[in-house]
Amino acid sequence: MSTDEARRYAMAVRRYPPNRRLAWERLQRGWSYEEITERIRTEMSRTGETDTGLNANTVRRWEIGERWPDPRYRKHLVAILGKPASDLGLLTPDELAVRPDAETLHEFRRLWDMLTGDDNGNGWDRASVLRALVGASMLPLVAPLLSLDPEAAYADGKTIDPDAYRQIVRCQRELYWTSPARPLYEAAYAHTQLGIGLMRAAAGISRASLASALAESALLTARLAFFDLSQPAIAERCYDVALAATREAGDHALAAAVLGHMAFVPAFGHDPASARPLIDAALQHTWHGVSPMVRSWLHCVASEVEVRAGAAAASRHHIDLAAGAIDGDSTPPEWLDFYDNGRLHSFAGYAALASGDHREAVGQLDRALAGLIGTSAKQRSVVLADLATAHGSDGDRAADYLNQAVDALHTDWYGTGLDRVRAVRPVLGDSRHGARLDERVAALTAGRAALPGS
């Protein structure tokens, strides 16, 4: 069969447009066709409905456009995915036509701002308002105002230049390794906000390209908030924006990166049960033409999740998978500047420490330290602190590494590095080295505003 004949055959079989939104939401959760099918069956059973013979192939046909979900299935998809039908691509053009018009949305926006603005004197916060609206079954009306839906805003007809927006993202990403964190964060946050506004007025090819650039911007902003400034709540909001933008862009590699970064939040909060599904969802995306380097990094993230969960064997298994995933012939995405072979050694050293193999840890961490270049300077404090742990039986040597880590923080501030120094501090006990380190850390944090990276 020729290419043209195959294309005509596919068009004949496909009766509806492919439902990318539904497919994307399934992938975000790391669910296979079988898993989402089973969840629909469970929801049907819970509501007392009879099993109608739904199978995984039916779900696949919904996604590729061979079939359209019946109403009895649509309501359960809305329930298990937690999204309105319009966000899941489940509404027909006729059904979409009955949505509130622009004037209704404009009036709703005005009321929303009255309730949740800074001058609101009724004591309502945004979370309370949202809960009230959900309880009143008004979420479908609210959703466009909280999303990147172009119909939620008023396009002014100007042409959007995604490349110009992306160029600034690229420059800010390069500045990440050499610039103070807080002012760069403020600039990146403002650029992300600009991207959201531009997205609401964009359409067509420029919209998809802009969405990809917005995802990069929001990811950078979130990384600054989380790793440098220790603001996980802000980071989570930025990750949400980035994730929504990857869906608009259809960018599986960026979606995997965002989900992987999101896993750090619960992992650092000692909640591995919430981190693991995010890793699983991220890995699902890597089967869609994503660079092996992204998969390797994800296994390193999974390794750190397991270290923090106390699962040393699982952590080292993921390191083996990370090493096996690296493909020397693969060109990683431009934005993957936070991972390379040196970072793999750093993750591997951390995993070896968790399993009590200090000799292996020293070897891996020494290689990581030797491989750090100017664009990786922030990681130096973390590696040095881990080396202090590896030499914990030698108080003088452990103290030397921790003092080097504090020196590195003076030069290249990194919130995660300070957290690691504090975590390792107990190896010095009540010694004079420990007292001296406490003084240095106290001085460092007290003078934080005057240091590079403040």
Side-chain angles (χ1 to χ4, degrees):
M1 182 182 293
S2 69
T3 302
D4 288 342
E5 289 173 332
R7 185 181 298 110
R8 284 195 295 271
Y9 173 77
M11 292 178 65
V13 171
R14 181 184 297 157
R15 298 174 53 195
Y16 308 99
N19 193 335
R20 246 180 53 188
R21 289 175 178 260
L22 180 59
W24 199 262
E25 292 298 333
R26 177 180 61 80
L27 287 169
Q28 299 295 67
R29 291 158 177 80
W31 296 346
S32 64
Y33 291 126
E34 289 78 9
E35 286 175 306
I36 194 170
T37 301
E38 186 57 35
R39 288 173 184 271
I40 295 173
R41 287 174 178 160
T42 299
E43 184 67 15
M44 292 178 71
S45 176
R46 188 187 66 80
T47 57
E49 295 186 39
T50 304
D51 187 345
T52 55
L54 178 71
N55 58 48
N57 188 51
T58 303
V59 177
R60 181 190 67 82
R61 294 174 72 188
W62 291 343
E63 292 186 4
I64 65 176
E66 288 184 10
R67 293 186 64 175
W68 191 273
D70 293 339
R72 66 179 182 274
Y73 296 133
R74 286 158 57 178
K75 64 182 180 182
H76 296 306
L77 286 167
V78 167
I80 65 176
L81 294 171
K83 294 286 184 75
S86 56
D87 283 4
L88 298 174
L90 300 177
L91 300 183
T92 65
D94 288 341
E95 290 167 334
L96 288 170
V98 304
R99 287 191 298 181
D101 59 22
E103 288 187 8
T104 303
L105 286 175
H106 177 69
E107 176 62 13
F108 187 86
R109 182 186 293 276
R110 185 183 68 81
L111 294 173
W112 174 271
D113 290 340
M114 285 174 61
L115 287 169
T116 62
D118 293 336
D119 58 347
N120 168 32
N122 296 321
W124 290 48
D125 59 27
R126 290 178 183 266
S128 299
V129 172
L130 184 56
R131 283 194 296 271
L133 291 170
V134 171
S137 300
M138 294 180 67
L139 186 59
L141 182 61
V142 183
L145 304 181
L146 306 179
S147 71
L148 303 177
D149 189 340
E151 296 188 28
Y154 304 96
D156 58 10
K158 294 181 180 178
T159 301
I160 306 298
D161 184 356
D163 291 336
Y165 182 86
R166 188 186 297 276
Q167 183 61 36
I168 295 175
V169 178
R170 184 178 295 115
C171 292
Q172 289 180 339
R173 189 170 57 243
E174 291 175 359
L175 287 170
Y176 175 80
W177 304 106
T178 57
S179 300
R182 183 163 296 281
L184 180 58
Y185 159 76
E186 292 171 354
Y189 185 89
H191 197 58
T192 297
Q193 290 293 101
L194 171 63
I196 292 172
L198 293 176
M199 273 290 295
R200 288 172 172 163
I205 296 175
S206 67
R207 178 175 171 82
S209 180
L210 183 61
S212 179
L214 171 59
E216 292 183 33
S217 179
L219 177 58
L220 174 63
T221 306
R223 291 180 62 217
L224 282 158
F226 184 74
F227 294 108
D228 295 79
L229 303 176
S230 303
Q231 296 291 333
I234 295 175
E236 284 185 308
R237 292 197 291 272
C238 295
Y239 285 139
D240 286 342
V241 171
L243 198 57
T246 62
R247 187 187 72 176
E248 293 287 336
D251 193 324
H252 289 282
L254 266 173
V258 174
L259 286 161
H261 277 90
M262 291 173 76
F264 278 116
V265 180
F268 278 47
H270 307 290
D271 183 12
S274 296
R276 291 181 183 118
L278 292 167
I279 297 294
D280 291 342
L283 288 169
Q284 285 280 341
H285 281 282
T286 64
W287 295 111
H288 295 264
V290 173
S291 166
M293 288 296 285
V294 176
R295 172 173 281 270
S296 178
W297 172 77
L298 284 170
H299 280 299
C300 285
V301 178
S303 173
E304 179 144 348
V305 169
E306 298 305 335
V307 167
R308 292 173 180 272
S315 175
R316 298 198 72 167
H317 175 63
H318 277 292
I319 291 298
D320 291 340
L321 293 174
I326 289 181
D327 183 349
D329 296 329
S330 172
T331 301
E334 179 188 46
W335 45 260
L336 191 69
D337 58 350
F338 46 80
Y339 183 69
D340 53 22
N341 282 324
R343 307 296 177 85
L344 172 57
H345 289 306
S346 179
F347 280 109
Y350 192 53
L353 283 177
S355 65
D357 189 345
H358 286 200
R359 184 171 183 175
E360 170 69 13
V362 168
Q364 293 286 359
L365 293 169
D366 280 342
R367 285 193 286 275
L369 196 61
L372 290 178
I373 56 177
T375 57
S376 309
K378 288 184 177 184
Q379 192 69 18
R380 185 175 300 277
S381 57
V382 173
V383 176
L384 288 166
D386 287 345
L387 278 166
T389 301
H391 293 285
S393 60
D394 183 341
D396 290 342
R397 198 164 187 184
D400 179 56
Y401 278 119
L402 283 172
N403 278 293
Q404 287 185 55
V406 174
D407 291 340
L409 288 170
H410 273 283
T411 305
D412 297 287
W413 174 259
Y414 193 41
T416 303
L418 178 61
D419 290 342
R420 192 66 64 87
V421 168
R422 285 172 167 161
V424 178
R425 162 64 181 85
V427 303
L428 301 182
D430 296 329
S431 67
R432 60 184 176 82
H433 291 310
R436 173 57 182 153
L437 184 71
D438 291 341
E439 292 174 1
R440 294 199 67 198
V441 170
L444 175 66
T445 54
R448 175 80 173 81
L451 292 174
S454 61

